[in-house]
Amino acid sequence: MTVKLTLPAQSKMLSQDFIYGVATASFQIEGGENNRLPCIWDTFCDTAGKVADGSNGLIACDHYNLWQQDIELIESLGVDAYRLSISWPRVITESGELNQQGVDFYLDILNELQRRNIKAFVTLYHWDLPQHLEDEGGWLNRATAYKFRDYADLISKAFGDRVYSYATLNEPFCSAFLGYEAGIHAPGIVGKEFGKKAAHHLLLAHGLAMQVLEKNSPNSKNGIVLNFTPCYPESDSEADIKASDFADDYFNQWYIKPLFDGEYPEIMSQLPAEHHPEVLEGDMEIITHAIDFLGVNFYTRSIYRANSDEHFFQIDAPEPRTDIGWEIYPKAFTELLVSLNEKYSLPAIYITENGAAMADKLVDGAVNDIGRIDYYQNHLNAVNDAIEQGVQVNGYFAWSLMDNFEWAEGYLKRFGIVHVDYDTQVRTIKASGLAYNDLITNR
Ligand code: FCB
């Protein structure tokens, strides 16, 4: 166990151009619900049994009121960049105009970041779809992709040149599969026939938004953030390998292959026709719009075995695991980056999320989260290994700046490098936050 984060002396990750940041998302931290329209996560939280602790995002970290001190906190960590997301229902009215009060909230944040020389990495969609759009079918409705384009158009004009980087979507896999197939995220729709349809409209939304970003914000780095949970076979039997390859195509490649190759993985032919997305002529041209960067979120891997009824069966995650039950397996991070780099002609990569949930304890005003430091150390090393094998990684963001609303887990899982006391809203930098600061400031 280590209490300091280190990298080899010659590591590219120690250069001043390598960007270190912290990440958050609107619904997970903001609260301030009186100043925005309802979103699908409000509705999901209000549905009994959906969120583990029965909580919601109405106050969260009260960042809506505490944003100034939170930016001071970010600056005190010494990071180069802050990745935040914009709440669509805060900035766009039901009739599709800008809501100036909501826009001003973000303009104040962006101006303050600029004043302190912290680069703003803005994600336009981190899962908080306006509820009135869900009422019209949400991501199962093709029109939502065009609504997203219009929102991206208005907001990027309003933000002007304040943004260093735009990501259109965060983790379309989660929106599509968890939201419209497994039903464990908002809007909680269940059915294999829905996931791929939602995914296609999300990717279309991404491509359409890229068109307007290129026009309105040509100087920012514009791209998308995908999550990857690399799939491994339980054994080296041919059947297990086949099962894990299928899962990889279904969960991971499904979201990246269309971006670069303009087509879905070939396993589509093995899926029943009712599960297929409706791909119209010209869609793939829109989806393959060139991106300036690929955001990669990585937390864990998963392991599969062959199964006679389904294409794959996921086995329980082995130890060691974080507090949310995800296996700690940093080697998969290196292997993922190297394999993506081999499969696709990638632009520069930012690691837009990486981090660990731990059962933190605040003792005498401190959180000694050595397990999280260890996680970060091993995953920074894993990124460094990938860079040494030729992958171009230009930055790394810790998930998360602070403990926050962890979706279906509510406030039970803590991912922050800063501790949040939800009763008092007091923030305390954890040992991991201090170690991250030390790594960054001593480059
Ligand atoms: C990712 C999400 C992020 C956070 C982490 C733990 O899937 O993008 O909001 O919940 O997982």
Side-chain angles (χ1 to χ4, degrees), residues 205 250 261:
Y250 199 85
D261 295 350

Side-chain angles (χ1 to χ4, degrees), residues 39 45 49 63 71 88 141 152 187 195 198 237 244 254 264 268 287 295 316 319 321 323 340 363 366 409 411 426 439:
C39 75
C45 290
H63 176 72
I71 292 183
W88 183 353
N141 180 356
S237 78
S244 104
W254 200 273
Y264 287 109
M268 175 104 88
I287 290 172
D316 289 344
E319 307 258 12
R321 293 187 292 256
D323 192 45
L340 292 177
V363 181
E409 303 287 345
Y411 295 97
V426 168
L439 169 77

Side-chain angles (χ1 to χ4, degrees), residues 139-140 172-173 175-182 191-204 246-255 258 264-265 267-279 283-284 287 311-312:
W139 290 111
L140 294 174
F173 158 80
S175 300
F177 179 80
L178 301 180
Y180 291 87
E181 185 167 332
K192 286 198 172 145
E193 65 275 39
F194 301 126
K196 300 304 190 205
K197 292 183 176 69
H200 184 66
H201 294 146
L202 280 151
L203 292 172
L204 184 66
F246 193 99
D248 183 51
D249 280 344
Y250 199 85
F251 295 124
N252 297 316
Q253 308 304 325
W254 200 273
Y255 299 86
Y264 287 109
I267 57 158
M268 175 104 88
S269 62
Q270 298 174 56
L271 303 177
E274 318 85 80
H275 300 184
H276 289 193
E278 199 191 343
V279 182
D283 283 2
M284 283 303 179
I287 290 172
H311 291 285
F312 49 75

Side-chain angles (χ1 to χ4, degrees), residues 28 126-127 170-171 174 297 299 326 353 399 406-407 415:
Q28 295 180 275
H126 201 126
W127 309 354
N170 177 72
E171 304 189 348
C174 293
N297 293 354
Y299 290 92
W326 300 347
E353 286 180 28
W399 182 271
E406 179 45 37
W407 309 114
F415 273 93

